[in-house]
């Protein structure tokens, strides 16, 4: 049974009682081996995990972000938790625990054939495993592979082996090493040459189990002249303990390929006093490998107690383009240190950064971004715009833009602003009959408009609602 | 319609409390047009902001009652948005920019909120667009206005026209127009005045706050009041405005001060 915790602010805060298989707490080579064995992984992947684990043991928690991260006891976490009932192979949902189907339906993600969302294929990830992927048959017709990464390791090991860790090596950072050692599932997407993916692809991440970390890994490969629109959503139960989510997303775009990656992140953010919430420590990066390839990251970060996340692009192919559109909202005691890295390597590469940070109550919202123009990147262009909005007197916003230009033909533009919702703006709108909450949501939505318009329509509607809901009780 | 009695108000600025209004009495009935005139700093804008519910001012004494559904209501019990939905409109001297929000969305939301509050049916977007068309025409505004962000990058004249457009949409019972004429060239002034006049009826009232008599050539007031140092020092008919135009404020102020002297 699903139990509703009375909560008007976070409607996804419920917990699903379900029979699960859990590995013992703590992190050791043994646990890494167990995860790998559970998935019948090939030797090379186990080796990869072990190398990552050994490397992770040499690393220290990074301190450079402007975040106050309490010590995390990595020995006191579960690294694998999965629903006991057999996960079904492609197509059939008959064997899935009905509780799981009910859970996803409640989250607005119906998985069964009759009710599923048309036009969007969904991979549903519950704690450590992918439980279902919809529309697989339709996608296979055009050669698109959309499945869990565990399945991909079995079915298309050559592709996984070729690309896994090539964009984000396990040595990249502390959380990347941790993820590479213990990742349990995630989504895999392969778009063959010349295919414009007929459906939007989407992964929905749900954390359910207590004291469990979620370490998923997503790998998307777009071959020459292909296109895919990928959406990602996340929620978790409301609890007093913090939970760790450390994911890796790797994108690869070949010649003239385009990947649009959108996220609406609504992990549980903790309560008004700052108790509980998800630690969202994510490494997302795309390689624009091919000429004229394009990758865009659009994110609406509205949840999590702490967010540490920098979706980035390596612009390797000549004429390739990277974009980062972000709205990060922090409220109560939330902290966010988020931004992007745009590394220009190929000639005539172009990047666009539009970041909108909104902070309310005692929260702290930091933009951190790097624009790096390598000596090889003649004719590179970057445009960055970083705007912060403060609501109330207690919130903080900071902008840390780093610009590193090693080619003098580059054109780099940076604009930044910090604003406060002024008493005059509020009074103006109120004097037209709009309630204070409506006024603030209108001002905030206007502020975020340049980012929201990059989202697919249904996501954009959801994003507007989410921002309104998050601000509902922060005013007055 | 509105009764202001012995209104005293102050503002806190730089750690000091400054009294701005010192006992205003004013009564406005449906169908009337009042002009409040006076030199800069006399408290004209403050008075209109207090009626609309601006939070920056402290009312220290006095009362304002406003008729809502045939009952006198204490205006201070209502928030600014409730006052607006109950029929009070303030046309701003300096309309505020709201980047990223289209005029259309803004007008549509404001209209529907007001309808909802008053138990009237709301309007969908396409009907609302049709509803706006004649109002745009009245103010000689292009439809493209609707898709621009509220007041952002508008010229002074466009901003003022936009205020009157909002007034036309919300159809208030009491319109307070704060220096609506400032920053307007003569053509724009005529259009704005035409708009205001077209909206006048025997059911609503208008209070014009203005420094110059110019606007009153186009919107003719029934009553003119001179505000000076937070008090209404003289009231009269429209001829008072012409007198002020001719002779300036000095003579009224002088008379007032002499009267005060003889009193003390």
């Amino acid at each position: 049974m699903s139990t509703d915790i009375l909560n008007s602010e976070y409607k996804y805060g419920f917990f699903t009682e379900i029979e699960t298989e859990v590995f013992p707490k703590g992190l050791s080579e043994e646990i890494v081996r167990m995860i790998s064995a559970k998935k019948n992984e090939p030797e090379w992947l186990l080796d990869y995990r072990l190398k990552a684990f050994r490397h992770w043991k040499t690393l220290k928690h990074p301190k450079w972000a402007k975040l106050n991260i309490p010590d995390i006891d990595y020995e006191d976490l579960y690294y694998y938790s999965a629903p006991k009932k057999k996960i079904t192979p492609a197509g059939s949902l008959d064997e899935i625990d009905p509780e799981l189907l009910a859970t996803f339906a409640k989250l607005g993600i119906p998985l069964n054939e009759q009710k599923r969302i048309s036009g969007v294929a969904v991979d549903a990830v519950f704690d450590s495993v992918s439980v279902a992927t919809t529309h697989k048959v339709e996608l296979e017709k055009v050669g698109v592979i959309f499945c869990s990464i565990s399945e991909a390791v079995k079915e298309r090991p050559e592709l996984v082996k070729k690309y896994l860790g090539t964009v984000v090596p396990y040595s990249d950072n502390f959380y990347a090493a941790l993820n590479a050692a213990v990742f349990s599932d995630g989504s895999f997407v392969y778009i063959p040459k010349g295919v414009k993916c007929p459906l939007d692809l989407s992964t929905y991440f749900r954390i359910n189990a207590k004291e469990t970390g979620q370490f998923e890994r997503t790998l998307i490969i777009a071959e020459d002249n292909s296109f895919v629109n990928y959406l990602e959503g996340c929620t978790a139960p409301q609890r007093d303990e913090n939970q760790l989510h450390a994911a890796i997303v790797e994108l690869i775009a070949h010649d003239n390929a385009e990947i649009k990656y959108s996220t609406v992140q609504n992990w549980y953010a903790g309560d008004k006093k700052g108790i509980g919430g998800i630690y969202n420590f994510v490494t997302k990066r795309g390689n624009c490998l091919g000429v004229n390839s394009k990758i865009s990251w659009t994110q609406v970060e509205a949840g999590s107690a702490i967010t540490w996340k920098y979706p980035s692009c390596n612009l390797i192919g000549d004429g390739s383009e990277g974009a980062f559109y972000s709205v990060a909202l922090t409220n109560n005691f939330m902290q966010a240190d988020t931004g992007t890295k745009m590394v220009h390597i190929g000639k005539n590469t172009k990047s666009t950064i539009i970041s909108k940070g909104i902070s309310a109550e005692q929260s702290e919202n930091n933009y951190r971004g790097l624009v790096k123009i390598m000596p090889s990147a003649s004719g590179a262009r970057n445009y960055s715009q970083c705007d912060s909005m403060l609501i109330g007197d207690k919130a903080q916003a900071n902008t840390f833009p780093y610009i590193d230009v090693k080619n003098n033909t580059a054109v780099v533009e940076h604009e930044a602003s910090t604003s406060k919702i002024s008493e005059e703006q509020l009074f103006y709108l109120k004097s037209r009959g709009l309630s204070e909450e409506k006024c603030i949501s209108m001002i905030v939505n206007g502020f975020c408009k340049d980012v929201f318009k990059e989202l697919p329509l249904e996501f954009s509607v959801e994003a507007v609602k989410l921002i309104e809901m998050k601000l509902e009780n922060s005013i007055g | 319609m509105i009764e202001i009695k012995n209104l005293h108000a102050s503002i806190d600025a730089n750690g000091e409390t400054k009294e701005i209004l010192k006992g205003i009495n004013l009564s406005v009935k449906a169908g009337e047009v009042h002009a409040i005139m006076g030199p800069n700093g006399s408290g004209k804008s403050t008075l209109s902001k207090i009626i609309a519910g601006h939070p920056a001012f402290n009312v220290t004494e006095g009362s304002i009652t406003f008729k809502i559904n045939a009952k006198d209501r204490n205006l201070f019990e209502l928030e600014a948005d409730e006052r607006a939905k109950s029929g009070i409109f303030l046309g701003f001297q300096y309309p505020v920019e709201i980047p990223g929000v289209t005029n259309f969305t803004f007008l549509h939301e404001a209209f529907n909120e007001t309808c909802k509050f008053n138990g009237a049916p709301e309007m969908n977007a396409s009907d609302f667009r049709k509803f706006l068309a004649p109002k745009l025409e009245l103010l000689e505004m292009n439809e493209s206005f609707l898709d621009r962000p509220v007041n952002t990058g508008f010229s002074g004249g466009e901003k003022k026209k936009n205020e009157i457009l909002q007034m036309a949409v919300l159809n208030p019972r009491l319109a307070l127009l704060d220096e609506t004429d400032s920053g307007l060239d003569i053509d724009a002034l005529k259009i704005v005045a035409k708009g205001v006049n077209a909206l006048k009826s025997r059911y609503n009232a208008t209070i014009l706050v203005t420094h110059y008599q110019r606007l009153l050539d186009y919107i003719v007031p029934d009553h003119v009041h001179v505000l000076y140092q937070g008090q209404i020092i003289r009231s009269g008919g429209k001829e008072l405005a012409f007198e002020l135009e001719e002779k300036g404020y000095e003579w009224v102020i002088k008379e007032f001060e002499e009267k005060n002297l003889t009193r003390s």
Side-chain angles (χ1 to χ4, degrees):
Chain A
M1 269 302 291
S2 299
T3 35
D4 254 312
I5 296 165
L6 184 71
N7 178 19
S8 57
E9 288 159 36
Y10 189 69
K11 63 176 174 174
Y12 307 106
F14 65 89
F15 169 68
T16 311
E17 290 280 0
I18 197 164
E19 270 198 290
T20 49
E21 178 181 9
V22 185
F23 287 0
K25 264 188 184 172
L27 185 50
S28 61
E29 269 201 31
E30 185 55 27
I31 290 285
V32 175
R33 284 178 192 279
M34 277 169 77
I35 293 170
S36 187
K38 181 83 208 161
K39 297 181 171 295
N40 294 317
E41 283 176 355
E43 199 62 28
W44 63 265
L45 192 49
L46 174 63
D47 285 348
Y48 179 78
R49 287 176 180 277
L50 290 172
K51 259 190 246 164
F53 176 68
R54 286 167 199 151
H55 182 69
W56 178 74
K57 298 251 286 186
T58 68
L59 298 176
K60 287 219 160 51
H61 201 274
K63 295 270 187 232
W64 47 263
K66 198 174 178 310
L67 296 171
N68 179 16
I69 306 174
D71 284 336
I72 298 168
D73 185 354
Y74 292 92
E75 293 306 313
D76 196 34
L77 286 180
Y78 294 109
Y79 289 84
Y80 185 87
S81 168
K84 240 183 193 161
K85 272 212 171 168
K86 190 89 180 72
I87 306 309
T88 56
S92 150
L93 294 168
D94 301 344
E95 290 174 56
I96 292 193
D97 192 322
E99 278 303 328
L100 273 180
L101 293 180
T103 298
F104 280 100
K106 195 166 172 186
L107 296 168
I109 317 290
L111 298 173
N112 44 357
E113 296 285 330
Q114 300 82 21
K115 289 186 190 152
R116 66 190 191 184
I117 309 158
S118 62
V120 184
V122 179
D123 184 24
V125 176
F126 191 84
D127 289 333
S128 303
V129 288
S130 163
V131 294
T133 311
T134 66
H135 295 82
K136 285 178 85 161
V137 183
E138 265 170 277
L139 293 170
E140 272 162 18
K141 276 186 204 150
V142 289
V144 170
I145 305 171
F146 180 40
C147 62
S148 74
I149 200 149
S150 307
E151 218 177 314
V153 170
K154 286 195 192 87
E155 306 292 328
R156 301 302 296 269
E158 78 291 352
L159 283 175
V160 179
K161 194 174 178 183
K162 185 172 171 191
Y163 291 107
L164 188 83
T166 59
V167 187
V168 181
Y170 66 78
S171 55
D172 191 79
N173 66 70
F174 183 84
Y175 305 112
L178 178 64
N179 176 289
V182 300
F183 74 92
S184 44
D185 221 334
S187 301
F188 176 83
V189 175
Y190 178 80
I191 315 288
K193 270 186 191 170
V195 172
K196 187 178 180 299
C197 189
L199 297 170
D200 289 351
L201 305 184
S202 154
T203 303
Y204 195 91
F205 294 103
R206 173 71 177 171
I207 292 179
N208 188 62
K210 235 180 152 171
E211 296 170 68
T212 303
Q214 190 177 54
F215 305 96
E216 89 275 357
R217 210 167 167 116
T218 297
L219 180 57
I220 299 178
I221 301 144
E223 292 284 9
D224 295 353
N225 305 303
S226 67
F227 172 83
V228 64
N229 203 3
Y230 185 90
L231 325 166
E232 177 190 67
C234 353
T235 58
Q238 180 175 2
R239 295 206 171 94
D240 286 349
E241 305 84 38
N242 296 106
Q243 271 182 289
L244 178 62
H245 172 257
I248 291 182
V249 176
E250 296 180 286
L251 311 182
I252 293 126
H254 289 284
D255 289 355
N256 305 303
E258 182 173 3
I259 303 173
K260 287 184 142 180
Y261 194 107
S262 308
T263 304
V264 172
Q265 186 264 102
N266 186 20
W267 293 120
Y268 179 54
D271 67 9
K272 284 206 153 192
K273 292 180 188 136
I275 312 286
I278 300 288
Y279 294 160
N280 190 36
F281 301 155
V282 173
T283 307
K284 288 183 166 174
R285 198 173 301 154
N287 277 357
C288 281
L289 275 185
V291 295
N292 301 324
S293 55
K294 285 185 193 167
I295 288 177
S296 73
W297 299 101
T298 306
Q299 62 172 15
V300 176
E301 299 287 317
S304 297
I306 306 178
T307 298
W308 179 98
K309 184 184 169 191
Y310 315 89
S312 303
C313 295
N314 292 323
L315 304 170
I316 300 161
D318 290 348
S320 61
E321 287 180 26
F324 173 74
Y325 304 104
S326 170
V327 166
L329 173 95
T330 54
N331 199 348
N332 299 325
F333 286 89
M334 289 163 68
Q335 307 174 59
D337 195 293
T338 184
T340 185
K341 281 194 282 188
M342 292 290 172
V343 182
H344 292 251
I345 300 161
K347 291 186 181 62
N348 302 314
T349 46
K350 201 177 140 191
S351 64
T352 307
I353 298 171
I354 295 181
S355 163
K356 305 278 178 176
I358 304 145
S359 19
E361 298 294 339
Q362 290 95 325
S363 69
E364 187 166 346
N365 201 322
N366 306 307
Y367 168 80
R368 186 182 303 277
L370 168 69
V371 175
K372 188 168 189 169
I373 314 286
M374 302 297 272
S376 54
S378 316
R381 277 183 12 232
N382 161 265
Y383 173 74
S384 302
Q385 188 189 331
C386 303
D387 299 323
S388 307
M389 180 178 273
L390 298 169
I391 301 174
D393 305 323
K394 292 170 284 184
Q396 278 192 55
N398 298 291
T399 304
F400 304 103
Y402 304 90
I403 298 171
D404 181 4
V405 179
K406 296 203 164 77
N407 183 309
N408 59 15
T409 63
V411 181
V412 176
E413 282 177 84
H414 180 88
E415 287 177 30
S417 75
T418 300
S419 56
K420 243 185 122 155
I421 293 187
S422 68
E423 197 174 57
E424 288 309 310
Q425 276 182 323
L426 271 183
F427 177 60
Y428 186 66
L429 294 180
K430 278 178 91 170
S431 76
R432 298 305 180 249
L434 300 170
S435 68
E436 183 140 330
E437 279 177 6
K438 258 244 150 67
C439 298
I440 289 175
S441 101
M442 194 177 260
I443 294 167
V444 168
N445 281 326
F447 176 72
C448 299
K449 196 182 187 186
D450 292 341
V451 174
F452 286 167
K453 71 171 194 238
E454 298 297 327
L455 288 168
L457 184 64
E458 64 276 28
F459 251 40
S460 149
V461 172
E462 194 188 321
V464 169
K465 275 197 227 147
L466 179 61
I467 298 289
E468 277 174 9
M469 192 180 79
K470 288 277 165 177
L471 287 173
E472 224 161 61
N473 295 300
S474 70
I475 320 299
Chain B
M1 176 181 288
I2 191 163
E3 281 289 335
I4 301 171
K5 281 188 185 149
N6 191 32
L7 184 69
H8 289 252
S10 64
I11 190 165
D12 298 322
N14 309 321
E16 277 175 53
T17 300
K18 195 181 160 210
E19 192 173 27
I20 303 177
L21 300 184
K22 300 167 186 168
I24 301 275
N25 292 294
L26 182 66
S27 172
V28 176
K29 292 186 182 66
E32 291 180 345
V33 177
H34 287 240
I36 295 178
M37 302 183 72
N40 286 329
S42 57
K44 303 189 297 286
S45 285
T46 300
L47 176 63
S48 54
K49 283 180 179 168
I50 286 175
I51 297 171
H54 197 292
F57 303 96
N58 310 314
V59 173
T60 48
E61 217 184 314
S63 67
I64 306 181
T65 53
F66 183 63
K67 250 195 183 65
I68 300 173
N69 297 328
K71 269 189 211 134
D72 284 324
R73 288 287 304 272
N74 176 0
L75 214 47
F76 301 138
E77 287 171 3
L78 303 177
E79 284 284 316
D81 57 312
E82 294 168 317
R83 296 184 198 187
K85 285 181 281 202
S86 304
I88 292 177
F89 178 88
L90 171 61
F92 279 58
Q93 182 177 6
Y94 303 108
V96 181
E97 299 187 356
I98 315 286
V101 177
T102 64
N103 234 348
F104 183 82
T105 305
F106 168 53
L107 289 167
H108 191 205
E109 291 253 358
F111 179 79
N112 275 348
E113 286 295 308
T114 301
C115 288
K116 214 191 305 178
F117 185 83
N118 292 296
E122 296 174 42
M123 232 185 253
N124 66 29
S126 69
D127 286 348
F128 188 65
R129 222 167 245 277
K130 282 178 211 142
F131 168 79
L132 286 176
K135 303 187 189 316
L136 286 165
E137 203 175 314
L138 171 69
L139 294 163
E140 301 177 27
M141 289 167 89
N142 193 300
E143 214 193 313
S144 66
F145 253 94
L146 298 178
D147 302 313
R148 289 166 64 186
V150 180
N151 296 328
T152 311
F154 282 26
S155 70
E158 286 174 334
K159 281 184 181 172
K160 292 299 169 73
K161 280 190 195 176
N162 204 25
E163 293 295 288
I164 306 305
L165 177 66
Q166 292 165 38
M167 175 175 156
V169 166
L170 298 172
N171 192 23
R173 285 186 296 130
L174 176 65
L176 308 151
L177 302 178
D178 188 5
E179 306 274 1
T180 294
D181 49 333
S182 71
L184 290 185
D185 61 36
I186 193 72
D187 292 331
L189 179 69
K190 280 182 182 167
I191 294 168
V192 163
K194 182 176 78 176
V196 173
N197 285 327
L199 295 170
K200 269 196 313 195
S201 80
R202 61 197 172 96
Y203 304 107
N204 60 30
T206 309
I207 298 177
L208 303 167
V209 172
T210 180
H211 187 81
Y212 301 105
Q213 190 269 339
R214 193 174 71 140
L215 176 68
L216 307 181
D217 287 341
Y218 301 96
I219 309 170
V220 182
D222 304 301
H223 302 274
V224 175
H225 311 276
V226 178
L227 195 62
Y228 175 67
Q229 291 185 347
Q231 283 175 287
I232 289 176
I233 57 169
R234 197 182 188 107
S235 296
K238 64 180 175 220
E239 65 290 341
L240 177 57
F242 293 113
E243 229 175 324
L244 290 168
E245 179 74 2
E246 222 167 277
K247 304 195 245 171
Y249 289 109
E250 288 75 21
W251 66 276
V252 197
I253 294 167
K254 212 169 150 198
E255 273 188 32
F256 166 73
E257 278 167 352
E258 276 166 7
K259 205 162 41 177
N260 267 4
L261 275 176
T262 46
R263 244 189 244 154
S264 58

